[in-house]
């Protein structure tokens, strides 16, 4: 390329930097604290998928998405979006617990929700993600395979209850635990079918956090988890007296006081069969 051709390009570049539009500022602000996981594209749109880490992992994933119009190169602000995560297993396929997707408050182009992957293949394969979305009464769809990494700690548990129903529970908060009282949030879902995992309402989870590496000691002032209808989650006070590896021993109890899964921790039974892990 000759110099005479480069000069106009440099001028354009300088001009663009000097005249950064509101739109540019917006785009930077919109993506604060988010890293792109993947683009899913069809002929008309590109769905950009974001998380805090830029990856999907087993357990709870808070996810943000936005839709780029491939023709106008603008982000759409008036879509209604549904999503369907599917894991293909050797003999069948299934979905997992997920929220609806809604517009993120204070953001122009972002939509948000969560997906709880209860399992994955060792190489991260097996899952696909489909978006069905509507813009101005026109329906669109896009599907692609995704990678779901195995989390090191058990932050999700899938099991059969004593009522012969299948459940999934997932650790949601605290994402950054502190020494002291933490707001513990756990999601509880019933595997109604291969594709449907509604939230379970009005059960309880007993909580007994222990440090297996330190004589299996517990901590004071924990509370059991109770259901909150405003977010369809289970909440409790989780007391962590020191940093390290903790096992949150749980028992899932239905509204008739029947224990569906889990056992009390005793001298001889050091861990419940229903538990989640945490390390900080
Ligand atoms: Cu599976």
């Amino acid at each position: 390329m000759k110099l005479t051709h480069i000069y106009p390009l440099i001028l354009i570049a300088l001009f663009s930097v000097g005249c950064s539009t509101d739109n540019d500022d917006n785009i930077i602000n919109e993506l604060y604290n988010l890293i792109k996981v993947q683009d899913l594209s069809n002929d008309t749109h590109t769905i950009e998928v974001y998380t805090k880490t830029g990856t999907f992992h087993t357990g709870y994933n808070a996810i943000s998405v936005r839709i780029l119009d491939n023709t106008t190169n603008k982000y759409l602000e008036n879509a209604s979006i549904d999503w369907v995560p599917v894991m293909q297993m050797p003999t069948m396929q299934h979905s997992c617990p997920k929220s609806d997707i809604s517009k993120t408050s204070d953001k122009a182009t972002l939509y948000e929700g969560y997906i709880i992957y209860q399992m994955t293949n060792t190489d991260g394969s097996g899952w696909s993600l489909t978006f069905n979305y509507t813009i101005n009464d026109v329906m669109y769809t896009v599907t692609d395979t995704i990678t779901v990494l195995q989390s090191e700690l058990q932050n999700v548990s899938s099991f059969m209850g004593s009522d012969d129903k299948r459940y999934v529970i997932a650790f949601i908060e605290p994402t950054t635990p502190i020494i002291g009282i933490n707001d513990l949030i756990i999601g509880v879902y019933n595997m109604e079918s291969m594709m449907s995992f509604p939230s379970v309402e009005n059960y309880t989870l007993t909580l007994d956090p222990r440090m297996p590496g330190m004589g299996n000691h517990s901590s004071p002032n924990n509370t059991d988890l109770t259901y909150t209808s405003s977010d369809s989650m289970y909440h409790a006070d989780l007391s962590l007296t020191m940093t390290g590896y903790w096992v949150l021993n749980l028992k899932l109890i239905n509204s008739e006081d029947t224990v569906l899964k889990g056992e009390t921790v005793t001298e001889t039974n050091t861990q419940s069969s229903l538990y989640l892990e945490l390390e900080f």
Side-chain angles (χ1 to χ4, degrees), residues 60-159:
Y60 174 87
N61 293 256
I63 299 167
S64 294
V65 305
R66 56 181 187 171
I67 305 178
L68 182 70
D69 185 315
N70 291 342
T71 310
T72 64
N73 223 26
K74 289 205 163 86
Y75 291 99
L76 294 155
E77 300 182 16
N78 63 336
S80 86
I81 312 174
D82 188 25
W83 50 7
V84 188
V86 174
M87 184 179 194
Q88 184 63 52
M89 308 275 292
T91 56
M92 52 89 170
Q93 54 180 25
H94 63 85
S95 187
C96 61
K98 62 175 185 183
S99 69
D100 294 336
I101 309 183
S102 53
K103 199 79 183 276
T104 307
S105 56
D106 305 335
K107 305 281 182 185
T109 62
L110 280 179
Y111 300 77
E112 65 184 1
Y114 67 81
I115 296 177
I116 295 167
Y117 303 107
Q118 70 275 53
M119 60 190 299
T120 191
N121 289 328
T122 44
D123 63 354
S125 72
W127 287 92
S128 66
L129 187 54
T130 298
F131 288 96
N132 299 310
Y133 57 101
T134 307
I135 300 159
N136 299 329
D137 293 329
V138 182
M139 286 180 62
Y140 303 89
T141 188
V142 61
T143 303
D144 208 345
T145 55
I146 54 171
T147 298
V148 177
L149 306 173
Q150 179 67 49
S151 297
E152 272 180 46
L153 299 172
Q154 175 158 308
N155 57 9
V156 63
S157 178
S158 174
F159 57 91

